[in-house]
């Protein structure tokens, strides 16, 4: 009981703005962002060296998974099914602060929170995800009617409500930005899930998929086969159709070539590393992404700051995915333990990735890859002969997909 009281008291001090509650002389790691990358990094630093103090800063009260969130739109899962608490990290000694990190001071090694308090660190891990380039889509200023739902949470539920309210015979328009963007197969899975819902509840309705890319960017043959065989005549796919403007009052989207009217407009804008990374000067490439040393995930712009997940400038063949962020986090955590103990990190780390996509409520396809650091090229490269894609969709893969989701959530948070 005394220990529980101490933990409650120290947690209250931290939330009240105490600058440090670390034991004297202990190395301090601050992690910003508790998604697939940040939560994993925080947990594994503590697992591999309990002598390091770890503080995890996250603005949300709960974790909501972007992977499998499309099933909420399809109606086979609920928001509660894809939501998990952060409580499990406490048993590993991770201090979780519910707050918003707004600024980084790399020179003095401090993170400033929205409440004015600061957190000192010896090493900082930034896993902020993405923010959107709304200004690249003219008229995108009414996000009550036109949603992206590309961050799982309130917009996911709101988009589901729009689909439910849409009349049978209506048109759902989904736009896909030019790659790279978060979760390459995600939009095509979303098209399948919405079509699955329409097939059951609104069979005269239609999905129009406007893709800025010249072709489906992930598992093209498998997705196209699913559209033809499961949703014949319901999914209309238009490649090279970049959305450049929207009109919420007319409910239209404008491409370089024409204007499309819909009853539900789901416009996913181009993306970049989140605001905090941009403001801190960590963005190095096309004003969008953060270049890192893949052996440690340390920023190439600022020493002592490590960047994970979707915010990074991806290596060749490396997707912006939850699984990849989890893999990057473990490489980063291992490197932090070595660096903070005066040792050299692994010179040849390996990362792996699997992306499952539900083409119906039960049938799933996947793509997998393995990546290893190549010293000659100073980057991660795909391992030849490793990974691959599904030969066909199957319900068995649906079982695997839900096992993957439950296991990776536990790996991050339990």
């Amino acid at each position: 009981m005394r220990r529980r009281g101490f933990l409650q008291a120290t947690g209250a001090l931290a939330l009240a703005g105490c600058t440090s509650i670390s034991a004297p002389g202990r190395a301090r790691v601050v992690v910003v962002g508790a998604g697939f990358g940040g939560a994993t990094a925080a947990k594994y630093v503590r697992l591999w060296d309990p002598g390091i103090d770890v503080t995890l800063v996250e603005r949300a009260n709960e974790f909501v998974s972007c992977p499998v969130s499309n099933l909420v739109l399809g109606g086979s899962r609920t928001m509660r099914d894809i939501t998990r608490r952060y409580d499990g990290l406490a048993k590993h000694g991770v201090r979780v602060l519910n707050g918003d990190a707004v600024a980084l001071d790399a020179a003095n090694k401090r993170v400033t929170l929205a409440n004015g308090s600061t957190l000192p660190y010896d090493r900082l891990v930034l896993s902020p995800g993405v923010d959107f380039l709304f200004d690249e889509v003219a008229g995108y200023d009414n996000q009550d009617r036109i949603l992206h739902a590309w961050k799982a949470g309130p917009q996911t539920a709101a988009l589901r409500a729009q689909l439910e309210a849409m009349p049978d015979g209506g048109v759902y328009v989904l736009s896909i930005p030019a790659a790279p963007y978060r979760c390459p197969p995600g939009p095509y899975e979303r098209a399948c899930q919405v079509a699955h819902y329409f097939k059951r509840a609104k069979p005269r309705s239609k999905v129009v998929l406007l893709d800025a890319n010249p072709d489906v960017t992930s598992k093209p043959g498998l997705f196209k086969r699913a559209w033809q065989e499961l949703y014949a005549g319901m999914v209309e796919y238009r490649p090279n159709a970049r959305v450049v403007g929207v009109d919420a009052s007319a409910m239209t989207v404008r491409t370089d070539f024409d204007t499309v009217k819909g009853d539900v407009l789901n416009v996913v804008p181009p993306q970049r590393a989140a605001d905090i990374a941009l403001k801190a000067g960590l963005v190095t490439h096309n004003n969008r992404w953060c270049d890192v040393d893949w052996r440690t995930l340390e920023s190439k712009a600022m020493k002592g700051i490590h960047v994970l997940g979707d915010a990074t400038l991806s290596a060749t063949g490396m997707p912006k995915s939850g699984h990849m962020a989890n893999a990057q986090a473990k490489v980063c955590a291992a490197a932090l333990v070595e660096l903070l103990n005066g040792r050299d990190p692994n010179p040849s780390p390996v990362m792996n990735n699997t992306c499952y996509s539900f083409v119906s409520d039960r049938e799933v396809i996947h793509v997998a890859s393995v990546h290893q650091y190549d010293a000659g090229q100073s980057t991660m490269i795909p391992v030849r002969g490793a990974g691959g894609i599904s030969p066909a969709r199957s319900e068995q893969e649906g079982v695997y997909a839900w096992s993957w989701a439950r296991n990776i959530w536990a790996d991050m948070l339990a």
Side-chain angles (χ1 to χ4, degrees):
M1 291 299 293
R2 287 195 299 272
R3 179 176 180 274
R4 182 180 302 170
F6 171 76
L7 290 173
Q8 291 172 342
T10 54
L13 283 171
L15 288 170
C18 182
T19 58
S20 178
I21 53 177
S22 300
R26 289 166 66 114
R28 298 163 301 187
V29 170
V30 172
V31 182
V32 175
F36 283 88
T40 303
K43 174 181 172 179
Y44 273 85
V45 169
R46 286 289 301 174
L47 279 176
W48 290 335
D49 189 343
I52 298 173
D53 281 316
V54 178
T55 301
L56 176 61
V57 181
E58 169 56 43
R59 63 167 66 100
N61 292 314
E62 296 180 305
F63 167 79
V64 183
S65 181
C66 283
V68 303
S69 65
N70 283 329
L71 295 185
V72 175
L73 303 180
S76 61
R77 297 287 173 170
T78 67
M79 292 298 295
R80 182 45 51 189
D81 291 331
I82 64 171
T83 302
R84 295 292 183 273
R85 297 180 60 82
Y86 290 115
D87 298 356
L89 292 170
K91 70 182 180 185
H92 301 291
V94 177
R95 284 186 293 273
V96 181
L97 299 188
N98 183 217
D100 194 4
V102 295
L104 310 179
D105 182 347
N108 295 304
K109 294 189 173 183
R110 287 183 177 273
V111 177
T112 300
L113 305 184
N115 65 5
S117 64
T118 61
L119 295 171
Y121 64 83
D122 295 296
R123 292 273 174 172
L124 173 66
V125 178
L126 193 63
S127 189
V130 298
D131 278 321
F132 300 100
L133 298 170
F134 290 110
D135 58 351
E136 293 193 9
V137 182
Y140 206 150
D141 53 7
N142 187 334
Q143 293 183 51
D144 292 326
R145 295 196 71 186
I146 302 176
L147 306 173
H148 56 77
W150 216 239
K151 293 183 179 182
Q155 283 208 6
T156 310
L159 182 55
R160 171 63 185 179
Q162 287 186 354
L163 293 169
E164 290 175 329
M166 192 188 87
D168 189 12
V171 176
Y172 163 75
V173 180
L174 170 60
S175 77
I176 306 169
Y181 56 86
R182 165 182 277 182
C183 190
Y188 313 106
E189 178 192 59
R190 179 170 291 184
C192 291
Q193 286 303 305
V194 174
H196 171 74
Y197 168 60
F198 286 169
K199 186 176 180 178
R200 292 184 297 107
K202 305 180 186 219
R204 296 188 297 110
S205 299
K206 186 175 183 179
V207 175
V208 176
L209 197 52
L210 304 177
D211 194 347
N213 301 284
D215 198 1
V216 174
T217 60
S218 176
K219 300 171 275 194
L222 292 168
F223 276 118
K224 290 176 181 179
R225 193 178 310 150
W227 298 336
Q228 293 168 359
E229 297 176 357
L230 298 177
Y231 313 113
M234 185 172 281
V235 177
E236 179 182 336
Y237 176 67
R238 302 185 190 179
N240 296 309
R242 179 175 68 102
V243 169
V244 297
V246 296
D247 185 334
S249 59
M251 289 299 284
T252 58
V253 297
R254 179 166 49 86
T255 72
D256 290 317
F257 306 105
D258 59 4
T259 298
V260 180
K261 184 174 178 60
D263 297 274
V264 174
L265 305 183
N266 181 193
V267 177
V268 181
Q271 295 146 42
R272 59 161 170 79
D275 286 344
I276 189 170
L278 183 69
K279 292 174 182 176
L282 295 167
V283 173
T284 59
H285 188 77
N286 288 350
N287 206 35
R288 293 180 68 183
W289 311 113
C290 305
D291 203 1
V292 298
D293 181 338
W294 290 109
R295 294 167 296 183
T296 61
L297 282 297
E298 187 171 23
S299 166
K300 289 188 177 180
M302 290 184 186
K303 295 296 183 184
I305 299 178
H306 303 252
V307 185
L308 308 178
D310 298 338
T312 60
L313 173 61
S314 300
T316 300
M318 179 181 286
K320 296 183 183 298
S321 73
H323 192 135
M324 181 54 70
N326 173 270
Q328 292 174 4
K330 291 173 183 174
V331 169
C332 180
L336 288 175
V337 169
E338 299 306 299
L339 291 168
L340 291 171
N341 283 285
R343 301 186 296 261
D344 292 331
N346 180 3
S348 186
V350 177
M351 303 174 189
N352 69 320
N353 177 75
T354 303
C355 288
Y356 288 101
S357 301
F358 281 81
V359 296
S360 70
D361 58 338
R362 296 175 180 272
E363 293 181 301
V364 168
I365 57 180
H366 85 273
V367 61
S369 58
V370 180
H371 309 257
Q372 185 163 26
Y373 187 77
D374 183 281
Q377 300 181 55
S378 299
T379 189
M380 304 293 291
I381 61 172
V383 176
R384 187 172 300 176
I389 67 172
S390 305
R393 65 182 185 271
S394 72
E395 291 191 11
Q396 184 61 55
E397 287 221 44
V399 176
Y400 297 155
W402 269 107
S403 294
W404 171 87
R406 289 192 296 268
N407 286 333
I408 201 166
W409 296 336
D411 186 52
M412 297 161 52
L413 301 167

